[in-house]
Amino acid sequence: MLDTEPDLPDFSRIDFSNGAVAAVSGGSDSTALLLLLKAHLDRTAPATKLLAVTIDHQLRPQAAAEAQAVARLCAARGIAHRILAWSGHKPSTGLPAAAREARHRLLAEAAEAAGIGLILTGHTADDQAETVLMRQARDKWARDEWAHDERPSDGGPSDEGQSDDGPRDERRGLAGMAPATLYEWRHWIVRPLLGIRRAELREFLRREQVAWIEDPTNADTAFERPRVRAALAEGDGRPRVAEAIALARKAAAEREQLGHRAAMLIRSLASRPAAGLVRLDRDFATAADSRAAIYALRILLAATGGTAFLPDQARSEALFGRFRTGPLCATLSRTVIDARRTGIFLHRELRDLPPAVEVSDNALWDGRRRITLGDSSGALLIAPLLVAPLGAALAAKRAIEGHGTPASLVRAALAAEPALWQDGECLGLPGEGPMPAAVAAYPAVAPFARFLPSFDLAPADAIAALLGAAPVPAVPFGGHSAGLPRAKA
């Protein structure tokens, strides 16, 4: 039990009934998180399963020894601990993003193996301020680039490669890191230290006489975050941190409120007449809350096209404006938009669909479908079983009952659906043919299938209900709002 525990995170709001995985690198933030969490659980729920996990990224020779130091600390405190290594090739560019991706995957695998659905990380108010300032700088660059970009923003060609938040939508990204993020629709990643400065955590560790590891990568100004961190350390960076935190709190509240309004429009004006096909009532085009309608449209386009990022704000605004001028057919974010008198229809375009790949369990196909294998799949496989689009030719041969929806649109959507193939022959859609129980394809809620920030729960819930996907797992703490814990400057 820690006698000097400061008034830091409020763990009492978090549901630890299924245990917790604590991501511990050995740095000051994650070490303080682990000790504070252990003290809280010892007081309130000593039987709770707690597992500390250290990721050895194998990027520095000292990393293995540092992971062992964490192991010794955990052993001394009676905390279960695992070391997982990021092995294999390391990219020459985009290394921080690749390392982050590997870290998420390994933490989720550890949680899955331990039967734990909750992962805690030690991100602090300093990390949040750095994130906001980095995004602010990127948004300024994007706006400057946009000012010199002469491409028409008329909702025309697909816009792959655009950022999550276009140059006219920078405030969405300024919300920073969410208090909780759902990873792969299964594991909640919770950040209980977002309202706490790093200096407070280090002072706590000094009082406890617990050392921490200084990772030299955190000071390597070849990377963006260390450059921002160094800039904040110059002079008195406290006002800039406080300003960034206040900006994040305001942007997060706005994002959550806008999401609730967009979700209301999706629930009231969107329907799914067939697999892969979304219909919007014509009233959507004249919605009084145009800002929420455009946000809903961006989310629906990403969900229909299976993209991880929302389409560009300006192009989406232009597309929305054209709904009021009459019929149109356009593509944006891998989605065909077919606006008719009977409604506005969205379906996946046939370009850039995935090639045939061998079926594997829990694979995310085209960002839109989660492929799963049943117990009987192996016994029925003579040749490799592949998943590939059904295609326009086979979709055209199917008897379609439109139920008021044009059959051509149903077939167009069906053509982009995943089908099972073997020896060059189509066996049908998952659930059909000779293996009805062997393979299933469930809707995935792009753009939230991999990462769902808790700011976006309302629209994610609405899209899940619309597509017939599994509902969003319950957030692991009560009284959640997008507002971040108030950080001390």
Side-chain angles (χ1 to χ4, degrees):
M1 182 71 66
L2 300 176
D3 296 329
T4 58
E5 181 182 343
D7 183 19
L8 287 177
D10 182 9
F11 290 116
S12 64
R13 297 175 57 230
I14 302 175
D15 179 8
F16 292 109
S17 57
N18 290 321
V21 165
V24 185
S25 66
S28 59
D29 306 344
S30 60
T31 300
L33 169 69
L34 178 65
L35 299 186
L36 290 164
L37 176 60
K38 178 69 162 74
H40 170 78
L41 294 177
D42 283 347
R43 285 195 312 272
T44 61
T48 298
K49 184 187 297 185
L50 173 60
L51 172 65
V53 175
T54 302
I55 308 300
D56 177 1
H57 295 89
Q58 298 190 340
L59 296 173
R60 296 181 296 110
Q62 305 89 341
E66 291 168 356
Q68 289 298 330
V70 177
R72 290 192 293 273
L73 172 67
C74 290
R77 304 277 174 153
I79 301 170
H81 179 253
R82 286 189 64 187
I83 299 173
L84 299 177
W86 179 30
S87 56
H89 172 73
K90 306 298 190 294
S92 56
T93 60
L95 184 60
R100 185 167 56 249
E101 174 64 29
R103 189 160 56 247
H104 283 129
R105 175 177 55 81
L106 292 169
L107 288 169
E109 289 174 2
E112 189 79 21
I116 296 172
L118 181 64
I119 300 167
L120 274 68
T121 66
H123 293 102
T124 66
D126 298 78
D127 295 313
Q128 183 73 301
E130 293 159 9
T131 298
V132 171
L133 292 173
M134 287 161 57
R135 292 183 180 179
Q136 202 171 34
R138 292 173 195 166
D139 290 331
K140 182 181 184 304
W141 177 87
R143 288 195 300 275
D144 292 343
E145 289 294 302
W146 190 262
H148 296 90
D149 190 346
E150 297 180 355
R151 292 172 300 170
S153 57
D154 62 354
S158 294
D159 60 330
E160 294 311 299
Q162 295 290 333
S163 65
D164 181 13
D165 304 296
R168 296 178 62 185
D169 190 30
E170 64 272 15
R171 289 198 64 82
R172 185 174 185 274
L174 294 182
M177 292 180 285
T181 297
L182 185 63
Y183 176 68
E184 294 279 2
W185 214 255
R186 295 171 65 87
H187 299 283
W188 279 106
I189 300 172
V190 176
R191 305 177 180 94
L193 306 184
L194 277 183
I196 300 165
R197 295 296 307 271
R198 179 171 294 118
E200 293 181 82
L201 297 172
R202 291 187 169 187
E203 180 59 30
F204 158 68
L205 291 176
R206 291 187 189 99
R207 292 199 301 270
E208 291 297 314
Q209 299 183 346
V210 175
W212 63 85
I213 297 164
E214 293 285 3
D215 183 349
T217 306
N218 291 331
D220 185 351
T221 54
F223 299 110
E224 181 183 21
R225 186 175 290 273
R227 289 198 299 270
V228 174
R229 186 169 298 169
L232 287 175
E234 294 176 359
D236 187 3
R238 293 169 65 91
R240 291 190 67 195
V241 171
E243 181 181 344
I245 292 296
L247 177 61
R249 190 180 303 115
K250 186 173 187 294
E254 291 175 356
R255 177 166 164 175
E256 186 167 3
Q257 291 163 6
L258 183 61
H260 278 285
R261 286 151 44 204
M264 290 177 61
L265 290 172
I266 293 169
R267 291 186 182 277
S268 60
L269 298 176
S271 59
R272 182 172 56 100
L277 184 64
V278 171
R279 178 187 177 275
L280 293 169
D281 291 353
R282 288 300 314 185
D283 290 345
F284 183 85
T286 56
D289 190 350
S290 60
R291 185 162 177 253
I294 292 167
Y295 189 40
L297 177 64
R298 295 176 71 203
I299 295 170
L300 286 165
L301 288 170
T304 305
T307 61
F309 303 114
L310 302 188
D312 174 73
Q313 172 79 9
R315 294 184 179 187
S316 301
E317 288 175 357
L319 176 64
F320 182 76
R322 291 176 62 189
F323 288 160
R324 306 184 186 193
T325 64
L328 74 92
C329 188
T331 59
L332 183 60
S333 199
R334 305 199 317 187
T335 297
V336 174
I337 304 99
D338 192 327
R340 308 184 177 199
R341 180 181 56 81
T342 54
I344 301 166
F345 295 91
L346 312 176
H347 63 83
R348 172 71 161 94
E349 66 175 333
L350 292 180
R351 291 192 308 166
D352 301 322
L353 285 165
V357 294
E358 192 165 343
V359 172
S360 59
D361 192 32
N362 201 37
L364 185 61
W365 185 85
D366 196 39
R368 299 181 295 128
R369 299 289 181 268
R370 182 71 66 180
I371 308 297
T372 61
L373 296 177
D375 294 337
S376 61
S377 58
L380 297 170
L381 299 184
I382 301 172
L385 184 63
L386 305 178
V387 59
L390 179 65
L394 290 178
K397 296 178 181 179
R398 292 199 164 219
I400 300 294
E401 293 186 15
H403 301 292
T405 301
S408 60
L409 287 174
V410 178
R411 290 193 177 98
L414 189 62
E417 288 296 290
L420 302 178
W421 297 75
Q422 196 171 55
D423 281 338
E425 178 185 354
C426 182
L427 306 180
L429 302 176
E432 299 179 349
M435 295 182 291
V439 182
Y442 298 102
V445 187
F448 307 121
R450 300 213 59 225
F451 295 100
L452 169 58
S454 51
F455 307 135
D456 301 326
L457 288 177
D461 268 326
I463 292 290
L466 173 67
L467 301 182
V472 178
V475 181
F477 47 87
H480 169 71
S481 70
L484 301 177
R486 186 168 299 277
K488 298 177 184 178

